[in-house]
């Protein structure tokens, strides 16, 4: 009889199962609103991944009680199309499928989507709040800020996998975790590193040129994350230290070096390409090969939050107006009595 211990099995977790757990929350939110919110998607490129994402968005919206309209426009006309949707009262939310120009022009387009319709959480106010670790839009902490969909989808997956320690206070639940994020794009990689660090993790953010470390300081001293350069560091330094490895390199040829992975690491792929080889299952304890279905449900959550925020603001304005009217009425009555 062989005396060799069996290797533990790797659990492959599919996005569809995680998405289903979040859909219950979405359905409850939809009941409170009592109507079908309209999401408008803008497709202005030939990028196949963008088209797949648009098709998934439509399917998920229509299956779960939302209205969806895809508008295919020439990229040179996209700016005007977004501005029109901003002022259209029938449109509740806007999503733009990037990349379009693949340059700073894409960042400009992100900023012209009206903040009250920005389901992707890419406008300046939301991005500022995220990096500053400001979680609410109001002083009473009743309206949560909107977070970018793909980074938030990864957070929701980590919560589902119980990587977050629910015994710790909210905001510190990744304390003691070391995470490598391979990708530092402004849309996904860098926001994700910031979110994870703001929740207490030590995060190594790996780009093609360098490695940066995102933390909230020793012992979670800071309210928000800080970033330091790690000169000379590569994946060889980061991966052996990491409990969690999250990769989103948009290249068919790129693969995470399997031999550098820590035994029992949790591995998550958010690229449209497979960044991990099949051999990842020999090292990882949990492997999530794709996250798209969770991202779309998070998009619906964001849309609901935006619509609910508008309803709450309208109710607050009506309440303030009623109180003001009551004061005027009381003052008028008092003056009448004196007369």
């Amino acid at each position: 009889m062989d005396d060799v211990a069996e290797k533990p099995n790797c659990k492959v977790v599919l996005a569809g199962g995680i998405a289903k757990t979040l859909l219950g929350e979405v359905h409850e939110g939809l009941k409170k609103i009592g109507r079908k919110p309209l999401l408008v998607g803008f497709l202005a490129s030939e990028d196949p991944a963008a088209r797949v994402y648009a098709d998934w968005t439509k399917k998920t919206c229509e299956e779960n009680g939302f209205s969806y309209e895809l508008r295919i426009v020439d990229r040179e006309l996209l700016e005007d199309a977004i501005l029109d949707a901003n002022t259209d009262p029938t449109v509740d939310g806007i999503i733009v499928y990037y990349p379009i120009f693949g340059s700073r022009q894409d960042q400009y387009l992100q900023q012209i989507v009206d903040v009250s319709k920005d389901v992707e959480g890419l406008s300046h106010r939301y991005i500022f709040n995220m990096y500053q670790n400001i979680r609410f839009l109001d002083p009473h902490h009743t309206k949560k800020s909107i977070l970018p969909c793909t980074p938030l989808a990864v957070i929701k997956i980590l919560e589902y996998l119980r990587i977050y320690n629910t015994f710790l206070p909210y905001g510190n639940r990744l304390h003691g975790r070391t995470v490598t994020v391979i990708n530092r794009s402004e849309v996904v990689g860098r926001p994700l590193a910031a979110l994870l660090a703001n929740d207490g993790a030590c995060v190594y953010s790996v780009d093609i040129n360098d490695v940066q470390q995102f933390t909230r300081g020793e012992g979670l001293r800071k309210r928000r994350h800080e970033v330091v350069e790690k000169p000379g560091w590569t994946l060889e330094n980061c991966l052996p230290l990491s409990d969690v490895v999250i990769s989103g390199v948009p290249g068919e040829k790129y693969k995470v070096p399997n031999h550098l992975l820590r035994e029992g690491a949790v591995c998550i792929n958010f690229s449209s390409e497979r960044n991990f080889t099949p051999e990842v299952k020999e090292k990882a304890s949990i492997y999530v090969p794709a996250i798209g279905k969770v991202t779309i449900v998070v998009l619906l959550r964001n849309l609901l939050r935006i619509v609910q925020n508008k309803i709450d603001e309208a109710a607050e304005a009506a309440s303030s107006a009623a109180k003001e009217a009551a004061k005027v009425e009381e003052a008028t009555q008092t003056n009448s009595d004196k007369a």
Side-chain angles (χ1 to χ4, degrees):
M1 182 177 171
D2 269 335
D3 207 14
V4 180
E6 267 188 47
K7 285 190 176 181
N9 290 328
C10 173
K11 176 79 173 169
V12 177
V13 179
L14 301 180
I18 304 171
K20 280 179 187 171
T21 66
L22 292 170
L23 276 172
E25 184 186 332
V26 168
H27 293 155
E28 283 305 307
L30 204 53
K31 282 180 196 169
K32 291 178 187 173
I33 289 168
R35 66 177 179 85
K36 282 187 171 187
L38 171 62
L39 177 64
V40 169
F42 287 103
L43 187 63
S45 78
E46 298 297 321
D47 184 68
R51 184 66 205 223
V52 168
Y53 188 22
D55 291 343
W56 274 0
T57 312
K58 176 182 170 65
K59 185 172 184 289
T60 309
C61 280
E62 291 175 351
E63 285 177 353
N64 291 285
F66 291 78
S67 296
Y68 177 80
E69 184 183 321
L70 179 63
R71 298 181 184 176
I72 300 173
V73 298
D74 184 278
R75 66 181 190 171
E76 298 301 340
L77 303 175
L78 179 58
E79 181 177 352
D80 287 341
I82 292 171
L83 294 174
D84 286 344
N86 282 345
T87 57
D88 183 344
T90 67
V91 176
D92 292 298
I94 296 169
I95 176 171
V96 182
Y97 297 103
Y98 297 100
I100 297 160
F101 293 95
S103 64
R104 286 183 64 85
Q105 200 162 343
D106 284 7
Q107 291 175 36
Y108 166 71
L109 291 169
Q110 289 163 18
Q111 298 313 314
I112 66 168
V113 174
D114 190 288
V115 71
S116 69
K117 299 187 180 189
D118 177 19
V119 294
E120 295 181 277
L122 297 176
S123 54
H124 174 74
R125 185 180 183 190
Y126 295 142
I127 294 293
F128 177 83
N129 284 0
M130 181 192 63
Y131 282 124
Q132 294 294 319
N133 202 13
I134 298 168
R135 300 185 182 224
F136 294 90
L137 295 169
D138 64 318
H140 306 297
H141 290 187
T142 59
K143 298 187 188 75
K144 279 192 175 179
S145 196
I146 303 298
L147 292 170
C149 294
T150 304
L152 182 54
V154 175
I155 299 294
K156 289 298 170 188
I157 289 167
L158 292 174
E159 287 177 352
Y160 176 87
L161 298 176
R162 309 229 172 130
I163 305 302
Y164 273 70
N165 184 346
T166 53
F167 287 101
L168 292 175
Y170 182 68
N172 290 342
R173 291 179 172 178
L174 285 180
H175 185 46
R177 294 290 190 185
T178 301
V179 183
T180 290
V181 178
I182 308 169
N183 173 301
R184 203 183 303 136
S185 70
E186 292 301 320
V187 177
V188 185
R190 196 160 79 95
L192 176 57
L195 286 171
L196 296 171
N198 284 343
D199 280 337
C202 167
V203 184
Y204 295 110
S205 171
V206 181
D207 199 17
I208 193 165
N209 298 316
D210 60 10
V211 174
Q212 294 179 341
Q213 183 183 35
F214 288 57
T215 67
R216 275 172 48 210
E218 293 295 325
L220 302 178
R221 287 197 314 263
K222 313 272 184 185
R223 184 181 66 80
R224 60 174 290 267
H225 72 280
E226 57 187 22
V227 182
V228 295
E229 300 287 342
K230 302 294 286 182
W233 274 49
T234 67
L235 284 173
E236 288 192 8
N237 305 96
C238 310
L239 292 183
L241 303 175
S242 298
D243 312 297
V244 181
V245 178
I246 304 164
S247 187
V249 178
E252 188 183 326
K253 292 180 182 174
Y254 178 78
K255 304 295 173 196
V256 176
N258 206 50
H259 69 283
L260 296 176
L261 290 172
R262 186 174 181 171
E263 199 78 42
V266 172
C267 296
I268 299 173
N269 177 66
F270 70 82
S271 171
S272 55
E273 308 287 348
R274 290 291 168 93
N275 283 182
F276 295 90
T277 65
E279 289 72 36
V280 69
K281 296 174 210 168
E282 294 173 13
K283 275 280 192 81
S285 58
I286 299 172
Y287 173 47
V288 183
I291 71 164
K293 290 182 179 177
V294 179
T295 303
I296 294 168
V297 176
V298 165
L299 184 78
L300 298 185
R301 282 175 89 252
N302 280 356
L303 177 55
L304 277 175
R305 184 158 286 160
I306 278 173
V307 173
Q308 191 61 56
N309 283 349
K310 281 183 193 167
I311 291 169
D312 292 345
E313 282 164 14
E316 284 168 18
S319 173
S320 297
K323 284 177 186 173
E324 200 57 42
K327 282 182 188 174
V328 171
E329 176 85 21
E330 188 181 338
T332 304
Q333 187 62 45
T334 301
N335 290 336
S336 174
D337 291 346
K338 285 179 181 175

